[in-house]
Amino acid sequence: MSSGDEAVRLRNAVVLLGSFPALAEASLVVERGEIVLISGANGAGKTTLLRLCAGLLPLARGEASVLGFNLATQRKEAQLHVGMLGHANGLYLDLTAQENLQFWGSIVGASSREMALSAQRMGLHSRLLNTPVAKMSAGQRRRTALAILVIRRASLWLLDEPHAGLDAAGRDEIDIILREAATAGATIIVASHELERAGALATRRIEVVGGAVVERGVQ
Amino acid sequence: MDHVQFIVGGYVVTFVAVGVYVVRMLRQARKYNSAISDGDKPWR
Amino acid sequence: MKRHSTSTWTVARTIASKDLRIEWRSKVLVNQVLPFAAIVMVLFAFALDNDGILQRVAPGLVWLAVLFTSLIIVQRTFAIESADNALDAIKVAGVPSAGVFIGKSVALVAQLLLFECVLVLLALVLYQVHLSWGGVVLLVTVSVLANIGLAAMGALYGGLGAAAKGRETLLPLLLLPAVAPVLIGATRATESAFGVGGASLGEGWPWVALLAVFGALFGFGGTLAFGVLTEE
Amino acid sequence: MNSIHPFPSPTSTPTGTRASRGLGVVVFLGMVLLTLLGLFFTDEDVVQGSTVRLMYIHVPTAWVAYLAFIVTALTSAMYMWGKQHSLTFDRIAGASAEVGVIFMGLSLVTGSLWGRLTWGTYWQWDPRLTTTAFLFITYVGYLAVRDLGGSHQQRAKRSGVVALLAVLEIPLVHFSVVLWRSLHQKASVLRPNGNVTMDGLMLFTLLFGVGVFTLLFTWMVLHRQRVLALADAIDDGGLEAALQERRNENN
């Protein structure tokens, strides 16, 4: 791949879910440091676009690279620098928030100080930390997942409806975290229905229609 | 010939099974064939 | 700022201890699967309805029960991952798949060992078999080696079933024929350990070699194959 | 007699070529000749009597079944380690396994008919029989894995790995079954293989059967593999239409 300056580069990317082309020749370039808001109707292909960038879906046709790594050949290398928060939180329901954090801390090699800081940031106080995830509310689970996302220290953040299920305080906290991450140099792609909230953050808006990307201009 | 039903049965089962498989296969081939241009048939 | 890839061993250790912690916490194994295994042992007794036969076939029944139970445990170990889609989260993190495979297998070995202890104890009580101290040594060796083979194959084909969503029914079809050597080897070795039909301890040890070869081959093969079978 | 015509008119098959048609004719004539030889022209065996006639199809089907799985393993390996990861190898592997499963089923059926006449039972826990049964189930599983869906390359990768694992599994299954039987089989069953004396024509018929069935296998895999190629091409062609439809959502 030519340029290391691009966080995401898709050229005529086709992704199939079964035999359905969820992405139909989508092209997109995201520069490093951008905060991109993706809008689009249900079924337009927003989630598929994010999952492709996360290396979770194979490319049927076209080209895709993330942070300079070709997704067809260097998926694992790319994934080390990509963090994703999807519809599911990816938590173990029988474990406490603290244990989930520790699991990921050990997987990604984060210090316990880092984990504690991140938990604190997301408003996970000690009583909550020792609650099994199964007994948490949707919003509390989301915060836990976000705390884990923060310790990943990813260069590219992919978020699918991050505000869903959160209260006002939680939503504000997400916005603050995303701004901070962007300031620190991370690139952020957010798929959201909540245009005014996410739109305030974004440096650029795109829309996904029928599996293709349509530019909606810079804010 | 002793046990003629066993022996002939063995031959019949074998040929019927192979025959059914082959007929189904060729019927499938004919069905698919109309949808595919000859360019996608390297054996042509 | 950026993270580096965690070593395979760290990943394996983390995954295994996480799995065991979940099983310890949720008690599903103890409260649901263990009673299942016990009732299977009791049902065998009804079906065969003869003390002499039971004693004779006790080793085979123990290992059949282990095999059936292993299907449930393997399915459970991947259900944990897919409940909130943690499997995706692990994939996105670019974790070495060999580490995931080894971690899952190690946790399975530990769980199977627990079941074997209980099932052997049940056989001692329900089927009136006898066990010498030499038999215990043989039995422990057999169990550990048999579990490595069972767990490796289980993690491999269970992972394949979990990755192809909704096709978990594939697991028994793929797993059971493949682990036939484990069933045969472990049963024969256990016959020696129990002294069934006058079998001596010495007759059991050659089977241990078969189990070791099986475990080594598929432990290694599974480590290589797991990534291909579970990704994209 | 066996008057099921195995090949419909070969001139109209889209997967046929001049060579495969020629092969088809040879196979058909060979089958007719084999049937005549097996049922009428050969004498009854001194020991087995008329049951030996089943051998002329049982041995070839078993041979083809094992050959098929060797082909599947080899072509899977060629797919996995080939530079291009050519789907042709994957399709040959799949076609061969499918044909192999059929022949393995047939060899189990003819074998148990033979066993009923010779041993008095349809089934003996003989090592070869037992291994064959395991092999049968293993490749049914392999075919199920091929059916899991996903892209063609994904299908090829997954099933290739499963085929190579099966290559590891089968010798172990066979070895453990042999060991199991050698320790436990007290009663000796009639083992005819050792004391059958075949005269020239009988031996010729047997070898001829193996040859004809091998050609039949080749013919079937050739066609099946081409049908699979057509099916894959239809999938790919469907993609164009689906992409067009998806683009139209834009407006």
Side-chain angles (χ1 to χ4, degrees), chain D residues 195-212:
Chain D
N195 51 16
V196 172
T197 47
M198 293 198 135
D199 71 21
L201 187 60
M202 291 166 75
L203 193 61
F204 169 79
T205 307
L206 196 62
L207 293 177
F208 181 71
V210 167
V212 171

Side-chain angles (χ1 to χ4, degrees), chain C residues 6-172:
Chain C
T6 319
S7 84
T8 301
W9 298 115
T10 310
V11 171
R13 195 157 30 80
T14 311
I15 297 234
S17 63
K18 178 265 299 172
D19 274 7
L20 293 176
R21 186 189 291 260
I22 289 178
E23 292 311 339
W24 180 254
R25 184 76 46 83
S26 73
K27 302 277 191 296
V28 167
L29 280 191
V30 176
N31 290 344
Q32 294 171 20
V33 189
L34 211 52
F36 161 78
I39 196 68
V40 166
M41 293 292 274
V42 172
L43 289 176
F44 278 146
F46 293 152
L48 300 176
D49 192 27
N50 178 314
D51 283 352
I53 292 182
L54 273 179
Q55 220 164 22
R56 173 101 191 72
V57 300
L61 296 185
V62 168
W63 284 101
L64 261 185
V66 169
L67 221 56
F68 291 146
T69 313
S70 75
L71 290 176
I72 300 180
I73 303 180
V74 167
Q75 254 151 12
R76 158 109 184 119
T77 198
F78 285 100
I80 294 168
E81 301 292 342
S82 38
D84 194 27
N85 219 347
L87 212 53
D88 269 1
I90 287 177
K91 281 186 205 163
V92 178
V95 174
S97 45
V100 179
F101 173 76
I102 296 171
K104 283 272 160 203
S105 301
V106 167
L108 282 172
V109 167
Q111 295 170 50
L112 285 168
L113 211 51
L114 166 78
F115 276 85
E116 278 146 18
C117 288
V118 174
L119 288 169
V120 167
L121 285 177
L122 277 174
L124 290 177
V125 175
L126 297 176
Y127 305 159
Q128 287 110 37
V129 292
H130 303 285
L131 194 55
S132 65
W133 284 111
V136 172
V137 175
L138 176 60
L139 209 51
V140 170
T141 317
V142 165
S143 300
V144 170
L145 290 174
N147 286 351
I148 293 174
L150 278 180
M153 291 308 256
L156 197 56
Y157 289 139
L160 173 63
K165 292 184 174 56
R167 296 298 190 95
E168 284 83 1
T169 42
L170 205 53
L171 175 66

Side-chain angles (χ1 to χ4, degrees), chain B:
Chain B
M1 200 161 29
D2 304 331
H3 315 297
V4 73
Q5 69 278 30
F6 279 82
I7 292 162
V8 174
Y11 278 72
V12 168
V13 166
T14 303
F15 289 130
V16 166
V18 170
V20 167
Y21 178 81
V22 166
V23 167
R24 286 186 47 162
M25 176 176 83
L26 294 182
R27 201 174 283 166
Q28 205 177 11
R30 215 160 295 159
K31 199 181 88 191
Y32 290 163
N33 187 48
S34 49
I36 297 296
S37 72
D38 278 2
D40 279 335
K41 297 169 199 158
W43 55 88
R44 288 266 170 193

